[in-house]
Amino acid sequence: MHALVYHGPGQKSWEQVPDPKIQEDGDVIVQVDTVTICGTDLHILKGDVPEVTPGRILGHEAVGTIVECGSGVRFLKKGDRVLLSCISACGRCRYCREGHPGQCLNGGGWIFGHLIDGVQAEYARVPFAETSTYKIPAGISDEAVLYLADIMPTAYEAGVLSGRVQPADVVIVVGAGPVGLAAILGAKLFTPTHVVAVDPAESRRKHALSFGADQAVTPEAVRDVVGDLSGGLGADVAIEAVGIPETFEQCAALVRAGGHVANVGVHGKPAVLHLEDLWIKDVTVTTGLVDTVTIPTLLRLIQGGKLDLTRMTTHRFPLGKAIEAYETFADAARTNALKVVLQRA
Ligand SMILES: [Zn+2]
Ligand SMILES: [Zn+2]
């Protein structure tokens, strides 16, 4: 088969590799039908994730069709269309049993395109298949559910739910990339009075408005806007969806007393937490890796017509054009790309 292989920082290729094989009796092999690229893949290619070793097939967001089942698989069968979650769950360890498979102790968690071969390939081995995949209801397209593999549950769980968005809240979402846009969609489910998106890039502010933000402002303008909307108190919830010190510190500076800062961004550098200001303000600060345990809820919202994620897709390519797709996605400032979709011919 062919796959997108990481060859060390800055190096990747779409090349022929051996077909994946069943290794454990709970594995399935999936033919990848629809797959996307994540900002995390770009981090890996920069060398920011040293656990990813050269020779690794990248990718952790895909939809496919089961072509082979291990001997221990009882509730999935050949021909089933499944969503592959970015998080694998052993289903047995303490964290999995407590609803936090992102922290799985038995070889689950974020493993695709990280610790094992990923899904930017013609076929993929899926471990813990029965507790890690989701059957796709008939009549629902691959693309309609594709973003449930990672970005939508990430924004919803680590941003909206951890941030405890409530009706009538003033919510700021700092960063209007794909995950920030998903956070806007998720926050709106709770009827906040205002969702304010913050991004220095005008093109991203436009996306934010089209995804339902009530206002989209620059980092310089947000303090006055939030002050006006909240009677000077600050935001009820500040969702950080960038992953740099400045944006985290801005969220902590803009939240009201009693409010919530929900960090979603992937950070590579330390940020300053001003406890000398915050200790007296009853503020919560949360961090979180997605568990994807909200996929069933989000899937029902899609089925019920209440959540449309297909508008994330700005570019489409055949699977064999993975390199072009990466170039388009990585150069978002020029291409205005949000998510790029690769599909089996
Ligand atoms: Zn991802
Ligand atoms: Zn587990």
Side-chain angles (χ1 to χ4, degrees), residues 264-280:
V264 184
V266 177
H267 290 263
K269 288 186 186 147
V272 175
L273 182 66
H274 284 286
L275 272 178
E276 75 279 16
D277 298 327
L278 292 173
W279 72 272
I280 200 168

Side-chain angles (χ1 to χ4, degrees), residues 221-344:
V222 63
R223 175 169 285 283
D224 287 346
V225 169
V226 169
D228 287 347
L229 292 172
S230 63
L233 293 182
D236 297 287
V237 181
I239 297 174
E240 199 285 345
V242 181
I244 59 173
E246 293 79 2
T247 47
F248 174 80
E249 290 162 15
Q250 182 163 50
C251 285
L254 290 173
V255 74
R256 69 167 171 84
H260 310 292
V261 175
N263 183 78
V264 184
V266 177
H267 290 263
K269 288 186 186 147
V272 175
L273 182 66
H274 284 286
L275 272 178
E276 75 279 16
D277 298 327
L278 292 173
W279 72 272
I280 200 168
K281 287 181 68 180
D282 300 357
V283 161
T284 64
V285 177
T286 56
T287 68
L289 174 68
V290 67
D291 292 304
T292 67
V293 293
T294 59
I295 286 176
T297 303
L298 296 166
L299 196 50
R300 290 201 305 282
L301 284 169
I302 289 170
Q303 270 189 289
K306 300 294 185 190
L307 183 64
D308 175 15
L309 300 174
T310 57
R311 58 181 134 170
M312 288 280 181
T313 306
T314 52
H315 297 76
R316 292 181 179 79
F317 297 89
L319 192 49
K321 300 283 184 196
I323 298 294
E324 287 91 325
Y326 261 88
E327 283 164 3
T328 300
F329 181 64
D331 196 7
R334 187 181 59 79
T335 62
N336 211 12
L338 287 176
K339 288 293 265 184
V340 301
V341 167
L342 291 152
Q343 277 174 311
R344 187 180 185 82

Side-chain angles (χ1 to χ4, degrees), residues 3 29 43 50 73 94 97 133-134 138 154 156 189 193 195 218 220 222 226 245 263 301 307 314 333:
I29 303 295
H43 278 293
V73 175
R94 172 180 166 182
R97 299 292 294 269
T133 64
Y134 296 83
T154 291
Y156 187 65
L189 295 169
T193 50
V195 176
T218 63
E220 295 72 33
V222 63
V226 169
N263 183 78
L301 284 169
L307 183 64
T314 52

Side-chain angles (χ1 to χ4, degrees), residues 103-144:
Q103 310 296 330
C104 177
L105 298 167
N106 287 336
W110 173 40
I111 55 173
F112 281 131
H114 179 208
L115 306 179
I116 68 168
D117 281 336
V119 298
Q120 287 163 3
E122 291 178 302
Y123 294 92
R125 179 179 77 91
V126 180
F128 309 118
E130 289 187 316
T131 43
S132 308
T133 64
Y134 296 83
K135 282 194 211 181
I136 300 170
I140 303 283
S141 72
D142 288 5
E143 206 179 309

Side-chain angles (χ1 to χ4, degrees), residues 36-41 59-61 86 110 149-151 154 179 339:
T36 183
I37 304 169
C38 182
T40 307
D41 298 318
H60 54 264
E61 304 179 25
C86 67
W110 173 40
D150 179 354
I151 60 167
T154 291
V179 172
K339 288 293 265 184

